[in-house]
Amino acid sequence: MTTADAPGRTETIDPGDSTALRERAEHHLRALVGSDAAVLRDDQWTAIEALVAGRRRALVVQRTGWGKSAVYFVATALLLLLPLVRVALHVRRKVMA
């Protein structure tokens, strides 16, 4: 996954790399809630991973205030970047071959 947080700063994350993907997801969560201490609950991560890495549908049913909206906002932020990531990884493989 190729992302840009600031002008001139980019990083590449493989969508299959669960650890890097979770770190990126938590980065988006912290930006969403405005707290550097924010971390995903395990069930939130399970839903985000299903949506982003597994490309599966997810229906999240939890009590009010649990963080359902955060699941969908973070997954959407990650999914908007995935097509660019796949192109970047494809180009990188071709260049390295």
Side-chain angles (χ1 to χ4, degrees), residues 60-88:
V60 178
V61 180
Q62 286 288 346
R63 65 179 168 28
T64 301
W66 179 84
K68 296 176 295 291
S69 295
V71 167
Y72 296 114
F73 289 136
V74 169
T76 299
L78 293 169
L79 283 168
L80 290 175
L81 298 171
L82 280 178
L84 297 174
V85 171
R86 289 193 176 102
V87 168

Side-chain angles (χ1 to χ4, degrees), residues 26-44:
E26 289 185 339
H27 169 81
H28 286 295
L29 176 70
R30 288 189 288 275
L32 176 68
V33 300
S35 170
D36 289 339
V39 293
L40 291 166
R41 293 181 175 103
D42 288 337
D43 289 341
Q44 287 174 310

Side-chain angles (χ1 to χ4, degrees), residues 18 21-22 25-26 40-60 66 71 75:
S18 184
L21 190 58
R22 183 169 184 155
E26 289 185 339
L40 291 166
R41 293 181 175 103
D42 288 337
D43 289 341
Q44 287 174 310
W45 169 243
T46 299
I48 291 168
E49 188 175 34
L51 290 163
V52 177
R55 300 295 231 168
R56 297 186 315 258
R57 295 179 185 185
L59 173 64
V60 178
W66 179 84
V71 167

